[in-house]
Amino acid sequence: MELVEFELNGRSEAVAANPEEPLLDLLRRQFKLFSVREACGIGICGSCTVAVDGKQVSSCLMMAGQAAGRSIETLESLSEGGELHAIQQAFVEHNAFQCSYCTPGFVMATRELLEQNPAPTPDEVREHLAGNICRCGSYLKIVEAVTDAATRMQP
Ligand code: FES
Ligand code: FES
């Protein structure tokens, strides 16, 4: 075990952790951040997506020790004052999920997309979200929701 210090959803944290355990496990066990979900565990489904220094990362592939000195954000950081983020609201209104297991990963990936490209075409949405898998097959609704979220977030 070693002390790992990092910023988590805007707060400074210092936690004793096995530096070689997946960040995914640390976030769920130590911080109860259950939006971070494991499905494949090998970096191909996107269910465990978090932002590390603003870039989307599969937390199942990142070791806890690699979080040292970084800024980690999870879905839990998006809503403010009990209000859903515009991306979350668009997913809800478009019914862009069935079981919703994949949804936090899609929302985090969408956030990165819209930061890089505030008005993506449907093809650009599909391309950016290609690393996220929805086993329920909600892709059509997801693309609709992302496109709507982009509109809502226009200044
Ligand atoms: S659980 Fe991490 S990419 Fe699938
Ligand atoms: S809504 Fe079930 S896996 Fe995507």
Side-chain angles (χ1 to χ4, degrees):
M1 301 287 266
E2 68 180 45
L3 191 67
V4 183
E5 297 181 58
F6 56 96
E7 187 177 293
L8 179 58
N9 292 340
R11 292 179 44 168
S12 295
E13 301 286 358
V15 63
N18 173 355
E20 295 185 357
E21 78 172 326
L23 178 63
L24 182 156
D25 293 343
L26 181 69
L27 294 175
R28 289 181 61 89
R29 185 191 69 249
Q30 190 75 27
F31 297 100
K32 312 301 181 203
L33 293 169
F34 297 123
S35 75
V36 187
R37 296 173 176 169
E38 181 168 10
C40 71
I42 54 172
I44 59 173
C45 77
S47 291
C48 63
T49 301
V50 300
V52 178
D53 294 338
K55 298 199 66 163
Q56 70 182 69
V57 166
S58 294
S59 61
C60 67
L61 293 184
M62 183 171 168
M63 293 187 294
Q66 293 175 306
R70 301 287 189 72
S71 170
I72 312 294
E73 295 168 280
T74 69
L75 182 90
E76 285 83 353
S77 70
L78 295 194
S79 59
E80 285 183 17
E83 297 284 321
L84 293 178
H85 187 281
I87 299 170
Q88 294 172 298
Q89 192 63 41
F91 270 66
V92 170
E93 292 183 19
H94 286 268
N95 295 316
F97 45 76
Q98 292 178 62
C99 76
S100 80
Y101 194 86
C102 67
T103 307
F106 271 98
V107 170
M108 293 303 287
T110 298
R111 191 180 74 145
E112 184 190 74
L113 167 65
L114 298 184
E115 283 173 359
Q116 295 173 354
N117 179 358
T121 65
D123 278 348
E124 289 169 335
V125 172
R126 281 188 280 273
E127 183 179 348
H128 190 89
L129 300 182
N132 291 75
I133 293 173
C134 173
R135 286 167 296 177
C136 298
S138 296
Y139 296 108
L140 286 176
K141 300 267 186 191
I142 289 169
V143 174
E144 284 177 16
V146 174
T147 304
D148 185 25
T151 303
R152 292 166 188 241
M153 291 169 66
Q154 292 293 323

